[in-house]
Amino acid sequence: MAEFQWWLLLVGLVAGGGLVAVLYLESARHEADVDEEELPAEAAWIADRMRNRGRPVDAGSVEQVLLDHQAYLGLPPPDRLVPVAPGAMRDDATPIAAGVHSTDD
């Protein structure tokens, strides 16, 4: 009878540890968790960190980048990715080849 109790304890510890691990791993924030009211605070935080690293940028620019990133995530996935050479930008500051999205040809 004592042998059964040890197995029961072992199974309970493994199941409990697995549950804790799943809850801990799922507690990370996702893009969808940041609402519009929090976006300026996030932009200010990122701008401050960039300033501390010697790359000053204003919070308004960071906020616009975050908004553009959210818009990008709303696009369908690209059919294929085209590598972008470092520093390869057009005159209007858009990447030359950020990816190839599906088109209805």
Side-chain angles (χ1 to χ4, degrees):
M1 188 68 167
E3 188 175 308
F4 173 74
Q5 292 172 348
W6 282 108
W7 277 106
L8 189 59
L9 177 65
L10 182 62
V11 168
L13 287 173
V14 169
L19 180 63
V20 168
V22 167
L23 291 176
Y24 179 74
L25 292 175
E26 192 55 34
S27 67
R29 297 185 66 197
H30 303 285
E31 292 283 338
D33 296 336
V34 179
D35 55 2
E36 286 186 32
E37 292 83 29
E38 189 179 353
L39 194 64
E42 180 185 7
W45 181 80
I46 292 172
D48 186 50
R49 288 181 56 96
M50 295 289 287
R51 199 173 348 339
N52 290 340
R53 292 180 182 150
R55 303 189 78 179
V57 64
D58 64 299
S61 297
V62 174
E63 187 172 352
Q64 187 58 52
V65 168
L66 291 172
L67 288 170
D68 289 342
H69 178 65
Q70 286 178 352
Y72 178 80
L73 291 177
L75 295 173
D79 292 333
R80 61 187 168 87
L81 293 176
V82 178
V84 178
M89 300 293 275
R90 293 186 183 144
D91 291 338
D92 62 354
T94 58
I96 290 175
V100 178
H101 289 277
S102 60
T103 58
D104 297 326
D105 292 316

